[in-house]
């Protein structure tokens, strides 16, 4: 019986290795600044300090001109099961970091493209240096989602509702 199991493992192991090696790696794709368009607001993506991405499990990338547009798109997206990951740029080195692991600075003295004044940082130490110069409050990803939902999406919905009732 043990001999049969060993033979079975010898036959199955190469197939498993082949299957694992064929899986597509899902990672952020470069944004073409000045050419690519934000998936949420349709404006050109121009500033690498704010260009963000949402990746589907298929590898397809949706690009955004700001952290707030990424957050709003994520909040309004009904099918979160298809989402692989969310990426934001570190404000200082302009390299993608996972949105859930980033530290966020919210300050009116450092305007972001869509006016919610959000910047992302890979480390709290770097954020604190920028905060000393510009002030503001420190947020995590969940707090960013709550802020965007409360201050942007719900206000936009109220304005649309108000205009429709006039």
């Amino acid at each position: 019986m043990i001999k049969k199991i060993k033979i079975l493992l010898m036959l199955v192991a190469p197939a498993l290795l082949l299957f694992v090696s064929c899986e597509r790696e899902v990672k952020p794709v470069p944004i073409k600044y000045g050419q690519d368009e934000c998936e949420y607001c349709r404006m050109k993506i121009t500033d690498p300090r704010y260009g963000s991405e949402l990746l589907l499990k298929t590898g397809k990338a949706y690009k955004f001109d700001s952290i707030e547009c990424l957050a709003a798109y994520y909040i309004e997206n009904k099918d979160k099961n298809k989402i692989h990951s969310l990426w934001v740029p570190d404000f200082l080195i302009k390299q993608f970091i996972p949105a859930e692991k980033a530290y966020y600075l919210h300050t009116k003295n450092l305007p972001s493209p869509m006016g919610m004044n959000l910047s992302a940082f890979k480390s709290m130490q770097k954020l604190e240096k920028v905060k000393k110069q510009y002030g503001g409050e420190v947020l995590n990803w969940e707090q960013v989602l709550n802020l965007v939902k409360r201050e942007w999406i719900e206000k936009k919905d109220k304005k649309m509702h108000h205009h429709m009732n006039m």
Side-chain angles (χ1 to χ4, degrees):
M1 181 69 173
I2 294 175
K3 191 174 183 178
K4 285 183 180 179
I5 292 173
K6 282 183 179 178
I7 291 171
L8 184 63
L9 285 174
M10 288 173 51
L11 293 173
V12 172
L16 284 174
L17 284 174
L18 182 64
F19 176 74
V20 169
S21 66
C22 290
E23 270 188 41
R24 181 191 299 174
E25 184 180 0
V26 178
K27 60 182 184 178
V29 298
I31 293 175
K32 296 175 189 161
Y33 292 97
Q35 296 176 27
D36 285 341
E37 189 176 89
C38 177
E39 189 67 28
Y40 189 74
C41 72
R42 300 294 174 200
M43 292 176 64
K44 290 272 189 235
I45 305 171
T46 58
D47 193 334
R49 297 176 302 170
Y50 301 101
S52 303
E53 288 189 14
L54 178 150
L55 298 176
L56 297 180
K57 291 176 181 171
T58 60
K60 181 174 177 150
Y62 290 103
K63 301 172 183 176
F64 303 90
D65 68 341
S66 66
I67 295 165
E68 52 264 40
C69 280
L70 168 68
Y73 187 88
Y74 177 75
I75 291 166
E76 293 176 353
N77 189 314
K78 304 285 185 244
D79 196 0
K80 292 188 175 32
N81 290 332
K82 292 181 179 178
I83 296 172
H84 177 272
S85 54
L86 306 168
W87 299 84
V88 295
D90 179 280
F91 182 78
L92 298 174
I93 59 173
K94 302 167 193 80
Q95 291 178 344
F96 283 120
I97 50 178
E100 295 88 356
K101 293 181 180 176
Y103 302 95
Y104 297 90
L105 181 61
H106 178 226
T107 174
K108 64 181 180 182
N109 299 322
L110 203 53
S112 56
M114 296 308 290
M116 289 221 50
N117 309 320
L118 291 165
S119 305
F121 297 84
K122 187 175 184 174
S123 76
M124 181 63 85
Q125 188 179 25
K126 300 280 185 181
L127 180 146
E128 288 294 340
K129 286 183 181 176
V130 175
K131 185 181 171 194
K132 281 182 183 175
Q133 185 177 354
Y134 294 99
E137 63 177 332
V138 178
L139 305 174
N140 63 29
W141 178 243
E142 286 302 317
Q143 292 168 318
V144 166
L145 292 175
N146 289 334
L147 178 73
V148 169
K149 185 177 182 181
R150 184 182 66 242
E151 298 296 323
W152 211 30
I153 294 173
E154 290 177 357
K155 285 185 178 179
K156 178 181 73 175
D157 290 345
K158 283 181 185 174
K159 281 183 183 175
M160 287 183 67
H161 183 73
H162 176 73
H163 288 293
M164 291 174 71
N165 290 333
M166 291 181 82

